[in-house]
PDB file of all heavy atoms in Angstrom:
ATOM      1  N   THR A 179      -4.835 -21.487 -11.840  1.00  0.00           N
ATOM      2  CA  THR A 179      -5.331 -21.104 -13.238  1.00  0.00           C
ATOM      3  C   THR A 179      -5.576 -22.414 -14.034  1.00  0.00           C
ATOM      4  O   THR A 179      -6.567 -22.390 -14.815  1.00  0.00           O
ATOM      5  CB  THR A 179      -4.414 -20.252 -13.853  1.00  0.00           C
ATOM      6  OG1 THR A 179      -4.061 -19.167 -13.059  1.00  0.00           O
ATOM      7  CG2 THR A 179      -4.758 -19.787 -15.187  1.00  0.00           C
ATOM      8  N   ALA A 180      -4.845 -23.384 -13.947  1.00  0.00           N
ATOM      9  CA  ALA A 180      -5.002 -24.702 -14.624  1.00  0.00           C
ATOM     10  C   ALA A 180      -6.351 -25.274 -14.466  1.00  0.00           C
ATOM     11  O   ALA A 180      -6.968 -25.762 -15.420  1.00  0.00           O
ATOM     12  CB  ALA A 180      -3.887 -25.650 -14.411  1.00  0.00           C
ATOM     13  N   ASP A 181      -6.831 -25.205 -13.194  1.00  0.00           N
ATOM     14  CA  ASP A 181      -8.170 -25.788 -12.922  1.00  0.00           C
ATOM     15  C   ASP A 181      -9.207 -25.020 -13.726  1.00  0.00           C
ATOM     16  O   ASP A 181     -10.143 -25.620 -14.240  1.00  0.00           O
ATOM     17  CB  ASP A 181      -8.489 -25.670 -11.383  1.00  0.00           C
ATOM     18  CG  ASP A 181      -7.559 -26.565 -10.536  1.00  0.00           C
ATOM     19  OD1 ASP A 181      -7.052 -27.685 -11.124  1.00  0.00           O
ATOM     20  OD2 ASP A 181      -7.379 -26.339  -9.432  1.00  0.00           O
ATOM     21  N   LEU A 182      -9.132 -23.653 -13.770  1.00  0.00           N
ATOM     22  CA  LEU A 182     -10.097 -22.964 -14.487  1.00  0.00           C
ATOM     23  C   LEU A 182     -10.022 -23.323 -16.030  1.00  0.00           C
ATOM     24  O   LEU A 182     -11.024 -23.469 -16.637  1.00  0.00           O
ATOM     25  CB  LEU A 182      -9.854 -21.413 -14.128  1.00  0.00           C
ATOM     26  CG  LEU A 182     -10.922 -20.441 -14.841  1.00  0.00           C
ATOM     27  CD1 LEU A 182     -11.048 -19.322 -13.852  1.00  0.00           C
ATOM     28  CD2 LEU A 182     -10.513 -19.977 -16.244  1.00  0.00           C
ATOM     29  N   GLU A 183      -8.898 -23.310 -16.429  1.00  0.00           N
ATOM     30  CA  GLU A 183      -8.611 -23.452 -17.905  1.00  0.00           C
ATOM     31  C   GLU A 183      -9.066 -24.845 -18.321  1.00  0.00           C
ATOM     32  O   GLU A 183      -9.612 -25.001 -19.502  1.00  0.00           O
ATOM     33  CB  GLU A 183      -7.273 -23.241 -18.375  1.00  0.00           C
ATOM     34  CG  GLU A 183      -6.782 -21.782 -18.191  1.00  0.00           C
ATOM     35  CD  GLU A 183      -5.353 -21.506 -18.710  1.00  0.00           C
ATOM     36  OE1 GLU A 183      -4.556 -22.462 -18.196  1.00  0.00           O
ATOM     37  OE2 GLU A 183      -5.131 -20.581 -19.217  1.00  0.00           O
ATOM     38  N   ALA A 184      -9.175 -25.828 -17.462  1.00  0.00           N
ATOM     39  CA  ALA A 184      -9.460 -27.184 -17.768  1.00  0.00           C
ATOM     40  C   ALA A 184     -11.008 -27.381 -17.582  1.00  0.00           C
ATOM     41  O   ALA A 184     -11.521 -28.423 -18.147  1.00  0.00           O
ATOM     42  CB  ALA A 184      -8.853 -28.253 -16.812  1.00  0.00           C
ATOM     43  N   ALA A 185     -11.678 -26.447 -16.999  1.00  0.00           N
ATOM     44  CA  ALA A 185     -13.205 -26.699 -16.743  1.00  0.00           C
ATOM     45  C   ALA A 185     -13.928 -26.469 -17.966  1.00  0.00           C
ATOM     46  O   ALA A 185     -13.524 -25.533 -18.811  1.00  0.00           O
ATOM     47  CB  ALA A 185     -13.618 -25.724 -15.625  1.00  0.00           C
ATOM     48  N   PRO A 186     -14.949 -27.225 -18.247  1.00  0.00           N
ATOM     49  CA  PRO A 186     -15.680 -26.957 -19.466  1.00  0.00           C
ATOM     50  C   PRO A 186     -16.413 -25.596 -19.489  1.00  0.00           C
ATOM     51  O   PRO A 186     -16.821 -25.117 -18.438  1.00  0.00           O
ATOM     52  CB  PRO A 186     -16.892 -27.953 -19.382  1.00  0.00           C
ATOM     53  CG  PRO A 186     -16.297 -29.082 -18.374  1.00  0.00           C
ATOM     54  CD  PRO A 186     -15.456 -28.321 -17.452  1.00  0.00           C
ATOM     55  N   LEU A 187     -16.342 -24.938 -20.766  1.00  0.00           N
ATOM     56  CA  LEU A 187     -16.926 -23.652 -20.777  1.00  0.00           C
ATOM     57  C   LEU A 187     -18.456 -23.851 -21.273  1.00  0.00           C
ATOM     58  O   LEU A 187     -18.807 -24.453 -22.237  1.00  0.00           O
ATOM     59  CB  LEU A 187     -16.308 -22.908 -21.952  1.00  0.00           C
ATOM     60  CG  LEU A 187     -16.783 -21.560 -22.299  1.00  0.00           C
ATOM     61  CD1 LEU A 187     -16.673 -20.538 -21.167  1.00  0.00           C
ATOM     62  CD2 LEU A 187     -16.056 -21.063 -23.625  1.00  0.00           C
ATOM     63  N   VAL A 188     -19.284 -23.286 -20.327  1.00  0.00           N
ATOM     64  CA  VAL A 188     -20.759 -23.401 -20.523  1.00  0.00           C
ATOM     65  C   VAL A 188     -21.280 -22.311 -21.491  1.00  0.00           C
ATOM     66  O   VAL A 188     -20.766 -21.112 -21.345  1.00  0.00           O
ATOM     67  CB  VAL A 188     -21.577 -23.519 -19.301  1.00  0.00           C
ATOM     68  CG1 VAL A 188     -21.002 -24.672 -18.416  1.00  0.00           C
ATOM     69  CG2 VAL A 188     -21.410 -22.185 -18.515  1.00  0.00           C
ATOM     70  N   GLN A 189     -22.345 -22.532 -22.249  1.00  0.00           N
ATOM     71  CA  GLN A 189     -22.937 -21.450 -23.077  1.00  0.00           C
ATOM     72  C   GLN A 189     -24.312 -21.166 -22.711  1.00  0.00           C
ATOM     73  O   GLN A 189     -24.779 -20.131 -23.149  1.00  0.00           O
ATOM     74  CB  GLN A 189     -22.845 -21.890 -24.638  1.00  0.00           C
ATOM     75  CG  GLN A 189     -21.477 -22.182 -25.082  1.00  0.00           C
ATOM     76  CD  GLN A 189     -20.645 -20.833 -25.232  1.00  0.00           C
ATOM     77  OE1 GLN A 189     -21.301 -19.719 -25.271  1.00  0.00           O
ATOM     78  NE2 GLN A 189     -19.412 -20.992 -25.277  1.00  0.00           N
ATOM     79  N   GLY A 190     -24.890 -22.020 -21.941  1.00  0.00           N
ATOM     80  CA  GLY A 190     -26.306 -21.746 -21.523  1.00  0.00           C
ATOM     81  C   GLY A 190     -26.589 -22.539 -20.219  1.00  0.00           C
ATOM     82  O   GLY A 190     -25.897 -23.474 -19.851  1.00  0.00           O
ATOM     83  N   ALA A 191     -27.822 -22.365 -19.745  1.00  0.00           N
ATOM     84  CA  ALA A 191     -28.254 -23.017 -18.417  1.00  0.00           C
ATOM     85  C   ALA A 191     -28.203 -24.474 -18.527  1.00  0.00           C
ATOM     86  O   ALA A 191     -27.971 -25.282 -17.616  1.00  0.00           O
ATOM     87  CB  ALA A 191     -29.490 -22.561 -18.063  1.00  0.00           C
ATOM     88  N   GLU A 192     -28.578 -24.997 -19.820  1.00  0.00           N
ATOM     89  CA  GLU A 192     -28.570 -26.471 -20.039  1.00  0.00           C
ATOM     90  C   GLU A 192     -27.276 -27.112 -19.905  1.00  0.00           C
ATOM     91  O   GLU A 192     -27.076 -28.374 -19.813  1.00  0.00           O
ATOM     92  CB  GLU A 192     -29.229 -26.637 -21.419  1.00  0.00           C
ATOM     93  CG  GLU A 192     -28.380 -26.199 -22.559  1.00  0.00           C
ATOM     94  CD  GLU A 192     -28.528 -24.789 -22.893  1.00  0.00           C
ATOM     95  OE1 GLU A 192     -29.218 -24.006 -22.209  1.00  0.00           O
ATOM     96  OE2 GLU A 192     -27.901 -24.387 -24.014  1.00  0.00           O
ATOM     97  N   ASP A 193     -26.105 -26.390 -19.960  1.00  0.00           N
ATOM     98  CA  ASP A 193     -24.763 -26.898 -19.876  1.00  0.00           C
ATOM     99  C   ASP A 193     -24.302 -27.046 -18.434  1.00  0.00           C
ATOM    100  O   ASP A 193     -23.205 -27.549 -18.270  1.00  0.00           O
ATOM    101  CB  ASP A 193     -23.769 -26.123 -20.800  1.00  0.00           C
ATOM    102  CG  ASP A 193     -24.136 -26.018 -22.239  1.00  0.00           C
ATOM    103  OD1 ASP A 193     -24.691 -27.013 -22.717  1.00  0.00           O
ATOM    104  OD2 ASP A 193     -23.913 -24.960 -22.784  1.00  0.00           O
TER     105      ASP A 193
END
Side-chain angles (χ1 to χ4, degrees):
T179 301
D181 291 338
L182 185 146
E183 293 178 322
L187 177 64
V188 303
Q189 298 295 339
E192 66 280 2
D193 299 325

